[in-house]
Amino acid sequence: MALVNRLQCLSPSLSSTHFRKPKSVNFHPICSLYYDSSSYSSSPFTEKHSFERYQRDEWLYTNQVEKIACCSFPPDSDSIRQDDIALQLPELKRLLQVLREKRESEGCGGGKCGPGNVFLVGTGPGDPELLTLKAVRVIQNADLLLYDRLVSNEVLDLIGPEGRLLYVGKTAGYHSRTQEEIHELLLSFAEAGATVVRLKGGDPLVFGRGGEEMDFLQQQGIQVKVIPGITAASGIAAELGIPLTHRGVANSVRFLTGHSRKGGADPLFVAENAADTDSTLVLYMGLSTFPSVSQKLIHYGLPPNTPAVAVERGTTPQQRTVSTILRIKFFFFFFPLLRSYFVKAIN
């Protein structure tokens, strides 16, 4: 069975023949992984092929990190993903073995003490000072931390001396790990008795797929604990000084996703019901669908001059904000109550 298709091969019951390299004509350690440091140097988050990411996860690439700089051309995304996983497997296997031996030395061999715990931890929109105290404690005591792209670099700097980071982020056109592979990683290390932390930007149960991971692990008998984080809507609204609800102006708030499950162009089929002038609408992950969504909301009754705010990298030093109206087709938040905050200021 191909390595990249099933991560159950991390299980000790499977033979080493499962850990073969994926078929590739030109397989080069690390050098097959393309990165462009100039594109990501100002980002507060982990970009998919940034040099910083490989430095942070260098324990997975023993004696190979310094070779990244020899990459000069980008292979296709699937080759990058397969090569990356193949390079990580030896150290992942070694860590699993170390954790099992540690467990046995503590008198917990043979499953006497049960599996380890998995924590789904929300890290907020980016500012590390918005973390909960519980989140910081768990991060500092974890054996393995699987982190997403939108977990800020400053949050990742909080890990303890024994903690190991593993990037499992997703971005448009490139998933470093499939959701199924993430499930198997969480399960394999929890079964080895590890304290496993799944780090997610914002809140793990708000467009974070935390529910899927929780369901999978609980079905396997693994205890899952959720530590909430400040979701982007709350964090950014506070940063801008704009309430999500306001008496007499906005009596409700709705969180909407700009992604469809199967990658369709217009996921907001609920636009007819979402076009409510008395509600604040918050659109997450909506860059590619801005034009179609704005047109639909106007079509279903939202006034074209509805105030809107677009925010990128909210609560970080690199935050960018654009205040506009719905008709411009560029938005992130729709605030009915912004009329009293921005239009008066403009006038």
Side-chain angles (χ1 to χ4, degrees):
M1 183 180 295
L3 161 68
V4 296
N5 291 333
R6 297 288 289 173
L7 283 181
Q8 280 103 326
C9 32
L10 287 173
S11 170
S13 63
L14 297 177
S15 67
S16 61
T17 57
H18 289 85
F19 293 90
R20 63 179 181 271
K21 297 174 183 176
K23 295 180 180 179
S24 176
V25 176
N26 296 309
F27 182 88
H28 304 289
I30 290 296
C31 290
S32 62
L33 305 178
Y34 175 73
Y35 82 99
D36 179 5
S37 59
S38 63
S39 300
Y40 309 126
S41 58
S42 63
S43 175
F45 304 114
T46 300
E47 303 301 341
K48 55 186 178 182
H49 304 313
S50 66
F51 187 62
E52 289 75 16
R53 175 208 151 184
Y54 293 108
Q55 286 183 312
R56 183 179 293 123
D57 297 358
E58 64 179 344
W59 70 277
L60 288 163
Y61 308 99
T62 304
N63 301 319
Q64 299 184 85
V65 173
E66 68 277 5
K67 300 177 183 178
I68 294 179
C70 70
C71 303
S72 60
F73 60 91
D76 65 274
S77 294
D78 190 56
S79 294
I80 294 175
R81 201 184 85 84
Q82 292 185 26
D83 286 2
D84 202 8
I85 292 176
L87 288 165
Q88 293 175 358
L89 255 295
E91 290 302 320
L92 287 172
K93 289 175 60 181
R94 188 172 291 111
L95 180 59
L96 272 175
Q97 185 59 34
V98 168
L99 291 169
R100 292 191 188 102
E101 291 174 356
K102 177 183 176 182
R103 191 79 160 171
E104 291 175 359
S105 70
E106 296 171 348
C108 294
K112 294 179 182 177
C113 300
N117 292 322
V118 174
F119 295 86
L120 305 183
V121 178
T123 63
D127 183 350
E129 293 187 351
L130 296 178
L131 285 170
T132 65
L133 294 175
K134 182 178 286 189
V136 173
R137 176 175 57 81
V138 168
I139 288 170
Q140 292 177 339
N141 288 282
D143 295 309
L144 179 68
L145 303 97
L146 281 67
Y147 66 102
D148 282 344
R149 185 177 74 87
L150 295 181
V151 176
S152 73
N153 297 325
E154 290 182 285
V155 170
L156 295 174
D157 289 339
L158 297 173
I159 68 167
E162 302 301 320
R164 296 289 182 269
L165 288 166
L166 173 59
Y167 178 70
V168 294
K170 303 184 182 77
T171 188
Y174 183 80
H175 290 185
S176 63
R177 301 277 180 166
T178 67
Q179 192 61 42
E180 291 72 22
E181 289 168 347
I182 293 172
H183 289 172
E184 295 298 337
L185 280 165
L186 293 170
L187 176 62
S188 296
F189 281 91
E191 288 180 335
T195 297
V196 187
V197 170
R198 180 73 172 95
L199 292 177
K200 295 175 175 287
D203 184 273
L205 301 183
V206 179
F207 300 128
R209 304 190 72 169
E212 296 173 44
E213 295 170 4
M214 185 164 52
D215 286 346
F216 172 81
L217 292 167
Q218 288 176 341
Q219 289 174 16
Q220 309 301 318
I222 304 298
Q223 185 176 10
V224 181
K225 299 179 181 179
V226 180
I227 300 178
I230 294 178
T231 190
S234 297
I236 293 172
E239 185 76 12
L240 297 178
I242 302 170
L244 291 170
T245 61
H246 192 75
R247 191 173 185 181
V249 181
N251 56 25
S252 65
V253 58
R254 297 187 64 174
F255 296 169
L256 307 172
T257 175
H259 280 315
S260 66
R261 185 173 181 179
K262 297 184 179 179
D266 185 9
L268 290 186
F269 55 89
V270 295
E272 181 176 2
N273 296 321
D276 180 4
T277 58
D278 294 325
S279 294
T280 299
L281 304 184
V282 183
L283 179 66
Y284 288 71
M285 306 168 291
L287 180 63
S288 63
T289 53
F290 282 170
S292 61
V293 172
S294 61
Q295 290 174 6
K296 276 205 166 189
L297 288 169
I298 291 173
H299 174 76
Y300 287 116
L302 208 59
N305 65 343
T306 299
V309 177
V311 182
E312 179 187 39
R313 300 173 177 177
T315 77
T316 73
Q318 294 81 13
Q319 175 175 308
R320 293 197 299 170
T321 305
V322 177
S323 301
T324 181
I325 58 175
L326 183 58
R327 185 173 56 231
I328 302 300
K329 302 179 185 178
F330 183 74
F331 59 89
F332 185 72
F333 296 120
F334 305 103
F335 289 110
L337 53 95
L338 280 182
R339 291 187 179 89
S340 62
Y341 287 87
F342 283 83
V343 175
K344 287 183 180 179
I346 294 171
N347 293 338

